[in-house]
Each structure stands twice: as C-alpha cells, then as structure tokens.
Amino acid sequence: EAQVTQNPRYLITVTGKKLTVTCSQNMNHEYMSWYRQDPGLGLRQIYYSMNVEVTDKGDVPEGYKVSRKEKRNFPLILESPSPNQTSLYFCASSPRVQETQYFGPGTRLLVL
Amino acid sequence: AQSVAQPEDQVNVAEGNPLTVKCTYSVSGNPYLFWYVQYPNRGLQFLLKYITGDNLVKGSYGFEAEFNKSQTSFHLKKPSALVSDSALYFCAVRDMDTGRRALTFGSGTRLQVQP
C-alpha cells in the first residue's frame, strides 16, 4: 500500500532532550516536507527536500533540523525541544514539487 | 509573498443543503491551488486541485471548486452536504512563477453538517 508513515505517533518529552521523528514514504517521491499544525494557524511548513541531499527552510525552521540521506526517509530532528514546539507534526511527500502532496498520519508532540 | 485566507472558522449547514467553504489567495504569479480535508485524528487527504485549464474543478466525494482569477478566490462547494462531510478543510496555494517551493495553507474551516 502506498503510504507515508511517521513514528512515533505520540510523544511526551522534556525541555532540552533531543528527539527525532521519522518519516518514510514508499512511493519513490522526490519531494518531501514537514509541517506543524497549530490551532488557528493552519499548517506551516518547517523544512522541505527536493531530492536526496537537497533540503531547504520553510516558513518556520527555527529549532528544527532535517536530513535526506535516502530518497524514502526524511527525519525531523529537534536538538533541544522547547514548550513552544508542542504541536501536531505532519510529514508529506509528492512525486515532484508541483504535484499533490500525500500526508502521513501525524505525530502529536508535547514538550514539558 | 504568497498567502491564503479562509475567512470562516466554522460553517454550519443542514444535511442535503448545498455547502460553500470560502478561500481567497494572494500570489505574485499564477497559482497552484489545492483543497485538503482532515478528519479527526487523521492526516490530511487531498480533495482537488487547480493547476490550469477549466475554472471548475471536480474532486473527490462530490466536491468541486471554482477558480476565479479576478476575485482571487477558490471556493469549495458541494451540491448536497452529508453528515460524513463534517471535518476540517484547508485551502493551500503555491506560486507557479516565483520558484518558491513552499505550499502555504490557510488556517482551516471546520464544516459541521447537521442531520
């Protein structure tokens, strides 16, 4: 089944403890992206990747890192999480940047 | 800069009645426009998109949207609402011409269809 998977789905952590949220797609898509969803703000793009080893900042990249070493994986790294990073995170992918994005199920993060 | 406005936080409609969820956008070039739907505790699902061509776009689950360049709008419509259409709807835009690769989303509109 063609899908975007994210792990973990739920995570509670404490301020400053490094964490990684994994994202994987099995559709051989070139474009991958991370969003955060906050009430009243919709989805805001954190980082995106046009292809392997090509990443760039979205609208809200501060406090986040990404890497794209393989086409299928696009992990989101929070080196030192803070409470303002408490949010619902979505990974998405598409064949190319201009095409429809397919979203993962989301990761709900709480930073205490 | 590109932006999207969804002026209504919530739209209430009775089952069987037509529904409209509004979206206006701002880009400096030509827009790619998308509608996504989010059901509770789920990711976003693609409904429809406008790239070029016919201004009336038909999508999944009986939804359609009309691209209006003069009004910079892309309202989502359905002739007859179902209770199962109750969800959170997002409009999104990308500027075709600037080369910016981000997809900008609106803040979302919650659709409530009453039986």
Side-chain angles (χ1 to χ4, degrees):
Chain A
E1 180 191 353
Q3 59 183 347
V4 179
T5 57
Q6 295 178 228
N7 282 293
R9 294 290 312 280
Y10 303 92
L11 181 59
I12 301 174
T13 189
V14 295
T15 299
K17 187 176 181 181
K18 181 179 178 179
L19 66 92
T20 299
V21 183
T22 65
C23 172
S24 183
Q25 51 93 5
N26 62 1
M27 296 170 279
N28 201 37
H29 286 172
E30 291 184 355
Y31 183 86
M32 297 186 74
S33 181
W34 275 103
Y35 298 87
R36 59 178 289 174
Q37 182 180 9
D38 301 290
L41 297 176
L43 276 80
R44 293 177 292 167
Q45 192 172 44
I46 303 170
Y47 269 95
Y48 63 88
S49 170
M50 300 289 287
N51 213 324
V52 176
E53 302 292 2
V54 181
T55 63
D56 207 347
K57 296 177 181 178
D59 294 322
V60 288
E62 294 77 21
Y64 304 95
K65 285 176 58 177
V66 293
S67 68
R68 187 94 182 269
K69 293 184 169 59
E70 306 163 283
K71 199 170 188 177
R72 62 183 294 129
N73 296 324
F74 190 46
L76 179 69
I77 303 156
L78 284 70
E79 295 266 359
S80 183
S82 62
N84 64 12
Q85 293 179 297
T86 291
S87 188
L88 178 58
Y89 291 86
F90 288 102
C91 181
S93 73
S94 62
R96 280 163 293 281
V97 61
Q98 66 269 31
E99 298 186 43
T100 302
Q101 292 187 36
Y102 297 89
F103 284 78
T107 295
R108 192 169 290 280
L109 172 65
L110 173 61
V111 183
L112 300 172
Chain B
Q2 59 194 37
S3 65
V4 175
Q6 293 182 242
E8 302 154 316
D9 291 335
Q10 181 154 325
V11 169
N12 297 307
V13 65
E15 189 173 31
N17 282 0
L19 69 88
T20 299
V21 182
K22 295 179 181 177
C23 170
T24 58
Y25 66 91
S26 175
V27 294
S28 53
N30 291 300
Y32 288 123
L33 290 155
F34 300 83
W35 275 103
Y36 285 86
V37 60
Q38 184 179 33
Y39 297 100
N41 300 313
R42 302 282 294 275
L44 275 72
Q45 296 178 30
F46 168 75
L47 275 180
L48 51 80
K49 67 181 176 183
Y50 172 83
I51 303 296
T52 187
D54 195 348
N55 289 344
L56 184 64
V57 179
K58 294 190 183 297
S60 307
Y61 314 121
F63 284 92
E64 57 188 31
E66 185 162 13
F67 171 64
N68 188 317
K69 188 170 185 177
S70 63
Q71 297 186 4
T72 61
S73 67
F74 190 57
H75 301 329
L76 182 70
K77 301 183 179 187
K78 188 174 182 183
S80 179
L82 299 173
V83 172
S84 57
D85 292 329
S86 298
L88 188 56
Y89 290 81
F90 289 97
C91 182
V93 69
R94 176 182 291 123
D95 192 326
M96 282 190 209
D97 300 330
T98 62
R100 186 164 186 267
R101 298 171 178 91
L103 188 64
T104 299
F105 283 81
S107 55
T109 298
R110 188 165 300 281
L111 174 66
Q112 199 71 36
V113 181
Q114 285 114 7

